[in-house]
Amino acid sequence: MKPGKPVTATTGPGGQAPVDELLTDIRTVIERARQQAITAVNASQTYMYWRIGQRIHTELLGGERAAYGAQIVATLSRQLVQEYGRGFTEKNLRRMVQFAQAFPDEQIVATLWRQLSWSHFRELLPLTKPFQRDFYAEMCRIEGWSVRTLRERIDAMLYERTALSKQPDALIQQELATLRSKGEIAPKLVLKDPYLLDFLGLTDRFLERDLEDAILRELESFLLELGAGFSFVARQKRIQIDGDDFYIDLLFYNRKLKRLVVVELKQGNFKPEYKGQMELYLRWLAKFETEADENPPLGIILCAGKNNEQIELLELDGSGIHVAEYLTVLPPPDVLHRKLHEAIETARARIEAKEGDAGQGETV
């Protein structure tokens, strides 16, 4: 071969030139190595920021030295910026301190920073409630949310709409600990109230069939609103019992929960008879559709309005039935925020009162 003559790849047995095949393999190796390097750099950077924040907080901003420490952070920042660049401004140093305060357990942070970047943590830092922050951090880790997705979940008040947020603190802590240690997502982490269906574009007046049609048209958005791990199975699934036909509005499967999920759509307020209808569907599915390695099916009754006292007396949670409102038109963010927090406090008060009554009954 004369100097300067280009290499001509010959075709191999599989129909692909050996050089092309080799080039494809090498590209894969390079891209994988680059991604691993980026991940390692991000993890090292996040750990460095945590260590810096923890050291400043412990050495300078804690206890009797707090006033002294606050004065010298600016001096410390000027020196670090001069030596290492703009990443160590006073504002950033204080953010690192906030990071160490928000996540004081180094072992937990070490688990998180393998999947979460510093940009993820920056989105979490403004959250002032520990359970709220832990929920988003763990779900972000397990689900692999991007920074944008995390921001959208926080803006949509995902945690405040979960069934988990309405439980007593002890149960929330237990569920989050299980999520952290085993990566198991419980139904209370997935089920919501209310469901935000403004993307359906429905007006004030519509029929249940209109709601169902709109959901099917916007199925991808509806699946995102339902939560992690949902996939569509059937619409108007026919089941036959004693020669009578019944139709399940929407049937989904959740791979995280490993169970079928029935969604029944109701135009008006919740009615007690909806419980019997849903229980019939769930028991039929448990008997004829559930695989050996799956959990019992769940039911979600979506209503335009709820009657909380009726729902509480019917003890629907024990039946695997979740009742939730849906909102086709969103109220102003401050109104939604206030309503959700009122619902959380009301639900917690009822649960704690119920537990207190049960405890008194046991001691009598």
Side-chain angles (χ1 to χ4, degrees):
M1 183 174 63
K2 296 181 180 180
K5 186 177 181 180
V7 176
T8 302
T10 58
T11 303
Q16 184 180 22
V19 173
D20 292 342
E21 184 177 352
L22 181 59
L23 183 60
T24 299
D25 292 343
I26 291 175
R27 282 173 177 160
T28 301
V29 171
I30 293 172
E31 292 299 327
R32 186 176 301 162
R34 284 181 173 177
Q35 187 57 48
Q36 290 173 346
I38 292 171
T39 301
V41 169
N42 285 337
S44 298
Q45 181 188 54
T46 304
Y47 180 57
M48 176 185 68
Y49 288 159
W50 184 87
R51 288 292 303 275
I52 291 172
Q54 192 266 348
R55 186 65 185 273
I56 294 175
H57 176 65
T58 302
E59 298 294 329
L60 299 178
L61 302 182
E64 298 178 356
R65 306 185 65 190
Y68 166 74
Q71 292 176 2
I72 71 167
V73 167
T75 303
L76 183 64
S77 169
R78 283 195 297 271
Q79 185 65 35
L80 290 174
V81 167
Q82 183 178 353
E83 295 181 27
Y84 299 105
R86 298 291 300 171
F88 298 92
T89 62
E90 183 179 356
K91 180 180 179 181
N92 284 342
L93 288 184
R94 294 192 181 280
R95 185 178 284 123
M96 295 174 202
V97 172
Q98 186 183 5
F99 179 30
Q101 289 177 299
F103 296 91
D105 191 325
E106 183 175 358
Q107 185 175 357
I108 291 176
V109 178
T111 301
L112 291 174
W113 66 47
R114 294 188 181 95
Q115 280 80 31
L116 275 61
S117 67
W118 175 238
S119 297
H120 285 101
F121 283 108
R122 287 180 60 176
E123 295 294 329
L124 295 170
L125 293 182
L127 303 177
T128 57
K129 298 180 179 179
F131 291 147
Q132 177 194 34
R133 186 171 54 240
D134 290 348
F135 167 84
Y136 285 116
E138 292 301 328
M139 291 297 290
C140 188
R141 176 180 67 85
I142 292 172
E143 293 296 317
W145 294 346
S146 66
V147 175
R148 179 180 178 180
T149 299
L150 173 60
R151 187 182 303 121
E152 290 173 349
R153 298 291 192 269
I154 293 174
D155 290 343
M157 301 183 71
L158 174 61
Y159 172 72
E160 288 82 355
R161 294 189 291 122
T162 61
L164 179 70
S165 68
K166 300 172 179 65
Q167 302 301 310
D169 287 352
L171 181 57
I172 297 177
Q173 188 172 20
Q174 178 182 339
E175 293 285 3
L176 290 176
T178 300
L179 181 64
R180 183 180 297 116
S181 61
K182 300 181 180 180
E184 295 179 358
I185 297 180
K188 287 183 174 63
L189 293 163
V190 175
L191 300 175
K192 304 175 187 174
D193 185 25
Y195 286 85
L196 308 181
L197 306 183
D198 57 309
F199 54 84
L200 297 179
L202 294 172
T203 59
D204 292 339
R205 294 184 178 181
F206 56 87
L207 302 175
E208 289 177 7
R209 185 59 179 263
D210 297 330
L211 177 60
E212 187 178 313
D213 289 340
I215 287 174
L216 267 294
R217 285 197 306 271
E218 302 291 340
L219 185 58
E220 181 179 0
S221 297
F222 184 69
L223 287 173
L224 290 174
E225 175 58 17
L226 275 180
F230 279 92
S231 57
F232 177 69
V233 176
R235 172 191 190 183
Q236 290 295 312
K237 178 176 176 60
R238 183 173 71 92
I239 63 176
Q240 197 169 57
I241 305 173
D242 292 330
D244 294 328
D245 289 336
F246 298 86
Y247 294 88
I248 296 173
D249 285 346
L250 299 170
L251 184 62
F252 298 87
Y253 183 80
N254 188 287
R255 61 186 178 84
K256 299 290 186 181
L257 302 178
K258 294 183 179 180
R259 63 182 80 203
L260 291 164
V261 180
V262 175
V263 175
E264 281 293 297
L265 307 172
K266 304 299 180 184
Q267 187 178 11
N269 290 342
F270 173 80
K271 294 181 176 60
E273 54 264 32
Y274 296 161
K275 176 188 178 183
Q277 178 190 26
M278 181 61 79
E279 285 180 331
L280 185 68
Y281 294 165
L282 295 181
R283 289 174 184 173
W284 188 91
L285 289 171
K287 184 174 182 179
F288 296 107
E289 295 284 338
T290 302
E291 301 291 339
D293 61 341
E294 294 177 351
N295 294 313
L298 288 176
I300 300 175
I301 302 175
L302 284 180
C303 303
K306 289 170 53 180
N307 301 302
N308 289 317
E309 190 173 357
Q310 293 181 16
I311 293 171
E312 183 181 357
L313 290 172
L314 289 171
E315 298 182 342
L316 294 179
D317 285 343
S319 304
I321 300 172
H322 176 66
V323 179
E325 293 180 329
Y326 58 83
L327 301 178
T328 56
V329 179
L330 294 186
D334 58 330
V335 175
L336 179 61
H337 190 276
R338 186 177 68 252
K339 288 181 64 176
L340 285 172
H341 281 286
E342 288 174 355
I344 289 172
E345 294 304 319
T346 300
R348 286 186 177 182
R350 283 178 174 160
I351 293 172
E352 290 170 357
K354 187 175 180 180
E355 291 177 346
D357 293 341
Q360 290 177 3
E362 292 173 358
T363 57
V364 173

